[in-house]
Amino acid sequence: DARDVPATADVVIIGAGFAGMYLLHRVRDLGLSAVTFEQAPDVGGTWYWNAYPGARCDVESLLYNYSWDSGLRSDYQYKWPERFSRQPVILEYARHVADRFDLRRDIHFDTRVNRATWDEASRHWIVETDRGDRVRCRFLLSAVGCLSDSQVPKIPGLKTFRGDWYHTGRWPHRDIDFSGRRVVQIGTGSSGVQAAPVIAETAGHLTVLQRTPQFCIPARNAPLTPELVDTSLERLKDMMIQMADRPTVRRLWESFATKKTFDDSPEERQAYFEQLWENAAAAFPFGYLDTMTDPAANEEAAEFVRGKIRSIVQDPATADKLLPSYPIGTKRQIIDTGYYETFNRPNVTLEDIRTDPIERITPDGVLLASGKLVEADIIVFATGFDAMTGPIFRLNIEGVDGRAIQDAWADGPQTYLGLAVHGFPNLFLLTGPGSPSVLSNVIQSAEQHVDWLIALLDHLRDNGIDRIEAEPDAQARWTTYCTDMANESLWPRADSWYMGANIPGKPRVFMPYIGGNALYQEEIDEVAEKNYEGFQLNGATNVAS
Ligand code: NA7
């Protein structure tokens, strides 16, 4: 094999997105040997795969980048072209980081890990790939991301379709020409809401098939002029501080708001919602302290947005179909650029497939239960991901006594700190279930996990410890704690991917930690300070490597 994959390493890292790249950099600094496998032909993770039209980050560019290298951050500060970066810009940034820190020499691209087996005798993981590689390592570090297992729903007849079809999360890296063509888009999450306005610009006709209407808040994207950078940095300063240094923030929503919904008079409330509509973007549901906890308060915010939809969309029947009914903020908050306006175009139609579901796909398009055939040259699946657990299951991890992680998590994911799993020693999950990653700026979450993990690896080495495993009690306590915290809020009330609700048969468990990065930092630091309380640390009885 000319690929030169070492047979042993201290660490195997899976994934070269933003979590994996930083991890590789730090692991090397520690003087440990690392092998990184990446299924894509390049770095970037999510930002490699989601190359669909309109793909854009919903966190501001000035926040959505690494903070661990001040030179890197300041070099880029005035380079981000827009307030919210487009996918190619972020991918370019990831490539720059890989080159700047010479990461590529330890990354094996186009290589998917398809098996990882714990060997108790030697206290090693044995990692295998689809290219026939086999590496023994002490620590297995998964940086596979939360939204990387794209899902094309099992709709009968897709194979018979005569046109082309694509999933937003596996978009080809070439131009797809929509001009004059009949496009059917299935799905109206963040991806669908970004894609539809862009596809509609050139398509002959676009039909959006909507299962659940969504609340979208205007992104207010804009070019980042030097002046805007300066004012934005001033505006975001608090947020940067809150994320890093404000452990007094006990809950995510407390970082943004100071007052409750009914503290304001109806007129004050209306005026405040207008302000949030103009400025808040994804923070809209956190404008008041109680939007995410009190159903009546939530309904005020929701009804305000419904009013906006009614006023933007000209055809009342279409506007009606677009009105969401779940508590606002409990599905991932979507920010948009011209989504509702798109339905005012003459070449765009909305079909409500909740009332008239998809029957099957035919050679000519999508057939609905009513017998209506929506003709298509191209089908775009913006149907999302098997979130959080999907990418981990695809690794086929077998822990102590050959137990598969799928079996350990049959009733939903159980972790300690969102990082470790009982029965799977020396395995760490970056941005895993039970961590704040998907309810935060995921780059910050990844940095938080990497920094903590690097300190741990250092500690283990210094103390000659070659086996670390989450204790079952600590894991049970953490899982219950996360669930209880979520149940204080309205989050579990929506059928969201946070709940596993988008995947047929997936256990309905609220997977993320909703406390936010600051509280979480406090908690994981405390565990470290107490000599990694909740972990079983074994002495080096068998240092075989
Ligand atoms: P999402 O947010 O999971 O959205 C997927 C969309 O596809 C959503 O509208 C789903 O409707 C719809 N969907 C999923 N399966 C089907 C089937 N079988 N039939 C019809 N419609 C379906 O994924 P995105 O890629 O948009 O965004 C993922 C995250 O990336 C996002 O939250 C940000 O964090 C970035 P549903 O609402 O389930 O009824």
Side-chain angles (χ1 to χ4, degrees):
D1 178 33
R3 299 176 61 243
D4 204 19
V5 176
T8 59
D10 294 319
V11 162
V12 165
I13 297 171
I14 312 175
F18 282 110
M21 284 199 295
Y22 178 43
L23 183 57
L24 172 58
H25 176 69
R26 293 292 311 273
V27 161
R28 269 189 193 163
D29 267 2
L30 217 52
L32 298 178
S33 59
V35 170
T36 301
F37 292 115
E38 166 55 58
Q39 60 175 327
D42 205 342
V43 294
T46 286
W47 299 104
Y48 177 83
W49 294 110
N50 285 268
Y52 61 86
R56 201 179 274 290
C57 189
D58 57 10
V59 176
E60 298 199 40
S61 312
L62 292 168
L63 292 175
Y64 197 81
N65 59 74
Y66 285 132
S67 71
W68 51 267
D69 188 89
S70 55
L72 175 67
R73 182 160 255 194
S74 61
D75 282 359
Y76 264 83
Q77 198 135 295
Y78 292 92
K79 273 194 198 157
W80 301 108
E82 293 174 284
R83 184 173 170 207
F84 294 98
S85 290
R86 292 170 60 233
Q87 170 268 333
V89 169
I90 304 176
L91 181 56
E92 223 17 74
Y93 172 74
R95 288 177 172 146
H96 171 83
V97 171
D99 295 336
R100 184 169 177 147
F101 297 95
D102 188 23
L103 300 177
R104 290 180 194 274
R105 69 183 153 90
D106 287 324
I107 305 174
H108 299 277
F109 293 102
D110 289 310
T111 309
R112 164 182 269 289
V113 169
N114 55 15
R115 202 172 146 87
T117 318
W118 172 248
D119 176 30
E120 188 68 67
S122 68
R123 299 183 166 185
H124 278 136
W125 282 97
I126 299 160
V127 181
E128 292 167 84
T129 75
D130 64 352
R131 311 251 323 236
D133 309 303
R134 191 181 154 94
V135 184
R136 277 184 169 269
C137 62
R138 182 67 74 205
F139 296 102
L140 178 60
L141 310 179
S142 164
V144 293
C146 299
L147 295 158
S148 48
D149 187 7
S150 58
Q151 290 294 305
V152 177
K154 292 180 181 59
I155 302 173
L158 180 56
K159 281 209 180 87
T160 69
F161 181 57
R162 270 200 292 258
D164 301 320
W165 64 267
Y166 311 96
H167 189 286
T168 50
R170 275 286 183 283
W171 201 266
H173 281 227
R174 59 185 156 86
D175 279 340
I176 307 293
D177 186 11
F178 294 102
S179 51
R181 312 191 67 191
R182 295 164 305 175
V183 183
V184 170
Q185 178 186 306
I186 306 177
T188 55
S190 297
S191 306
V193 164
Q194 290 182 336
V198 180
I199 294 173
E201 280 170 19
T202 55
H205 196 90
L206 170 67
T207 307
V208 176
L209 304 188
Q210 169 195 270
R211 185 165 74 179
T212 309
Q214 294 259 28
F215 292 103
C216 306
I217 307 295
R220 310 289 175 205
N221 187 32
L224 268 184
T225 59
E227 297 73 43
L228 190 56
V229 171
D230 294 336
T231 52
S232 301
L233 285 174
E234 189 53 34
R235 178 173 52 82
L236 297 171
K237 200 175 58 195
D238 277 355
M239 194 148 155
M240 290 167 158
I241 295 168
Q242 277 163 8
M243 292 296 181
D245 304 321
R246 257 190 60 186
T248 49
V249 175
R250 304 306 301 184
R251 296 287 183 269
L252 185 58
W253 52 87
E254 291 171 12
S255 6
F256 300 93
T258 51
K259 57 183 174 179
K260 289 186 172 181
T261 304
F262 300 105
D263 292 345
D264 275 348
S265 70
E267 296 72 30
E268 288 167 338
R269 207 155 45 237
Q270 186 69 17
Y272 182 55
F273 281 140
E274 288 288 353
Q275 254 183 46
L276 293 173
W277 179 257
E278 290 307 317
N279 306 316
F284 185 93
F286 306 108
Y288 282 111
L289 276 170
D290 51 358
T291 311
M292 296 305 297
T293 50
D294 173 9
N298 187 284
E299 179 56 20
E300 291 290 314
E303 190 48 30
F304 173 85
V305 177
R306 286 188 210 110
K308 288 290 183 193
I309 298 171
R310 290 189 197 96
S311 73
I312 296 169
V313 180
Q314 286 152 10
D315 172 43
T318 304
D320 243 26
K321 287 188 225 165
L322 285 165
L323 299 181
S325 55
Y326 62 91
I328 188 169
T330 54
K331 281 161 96 88
R332 168 81 177 201
Q333 184 55 56
I334 300 177
I335 61 172
D336 79 299
T337 302
Y339 176 65
Y340 295 126
E341 289 83 348
T342 296
F343 295 97
N344 294 334
R345 297 178 66 111
N347 68 333
V348 176
T349 315
L350 179 68
E351 293 288 346
D352 175 2
I353 55 167
R354 174 83 61 191
T355 55
D356 191 3
I358 298 174
E359 180 87 17
R360 63 189 152 89
I361 293 175
T362 75
D364 302 314
V366 182
L367 182 69
L368 304 182
S370 62
K372 181 175 190 172
L373 177 68
V374 187
E375 290 180 312
D377 304 309
I378 298 175
I379 301 176
V380 172
F381 289 96
T383 43
F385 303 86
D386 184 350
M388 307 199 84
T389 52
I392 296 170
F393 289 171
R394 290 177 67 179
L395 302 173
N396 294 312
I397 301 173
E398 287 182 11
V400 172
D401 295 332
R403 187 161 197 228
I405 200 159
Q406 284 89 320
D407 294 334
W409 286 2
D411 299 326
Q414 306 237 348
T415 67
Y416 181 42
L417 310 179
L419 276 159
V421 189
H422 174 68
F424 299 82
N426 295 10
L427 165 72
F428 290 93
L429 309 171
L430 275 87
T431 72
S435 80
S437 56
V438 294
L439 289 174
S440 75
N441 169 355
V442 72
I443 294 193
Q444 280 177 342
S445 276
E447 288 187 0
Q448 195 174 34
H449 270 173
V450 170
D451 292 345
W452 189 89
L453 207 52
I454 290 296
L456 170 67
L457 293 178
D458 202 22
H459 174 86
L460 297 180
R461 185 176 54 181
D462 283 356
N463 292 281
I465 297 163
D466 65 0
R467 190 184 190 285
I468 174 167
E469 182 180 0
E471 287 171 354
D473 292 356
Q475 173 170 294
R477 267 199 310 277
W478 182 259
T479 305
T480 307
Y481 167 64
C482 290
T483 312
D484 288 351
M485 192 158 41
N487 286 337
E488 282 177 37
S489 78
L490 302 175
W491 257 293
R493 297 200 191 184
D495 289 333
S496 66
W497 58 254
Y498 299 137
M499 285 293 288
N502 61 324
I503 302 296
K506 192 167 171 172
R508 296 284 179 113
V509 175
F510 190 84
M511 296 182 283
Y513 166 102
I514 68 164
N517 291 58
L519 177 61
Y520 181 74
Q521 185 72 54
E522 209 185 47
E523 293 177 322
I524 59 175
D525 283 350
E526 195 181 319
V527 167
E529 278 153 27
K530 292 186 176 162
N531 195 26
Y532 296 98
E533 187 179 50
F535 286 99
Q536 193 185 68
L537 306 176
N538 267 358
T541 51
N542 188 1
V543 201
S545 64

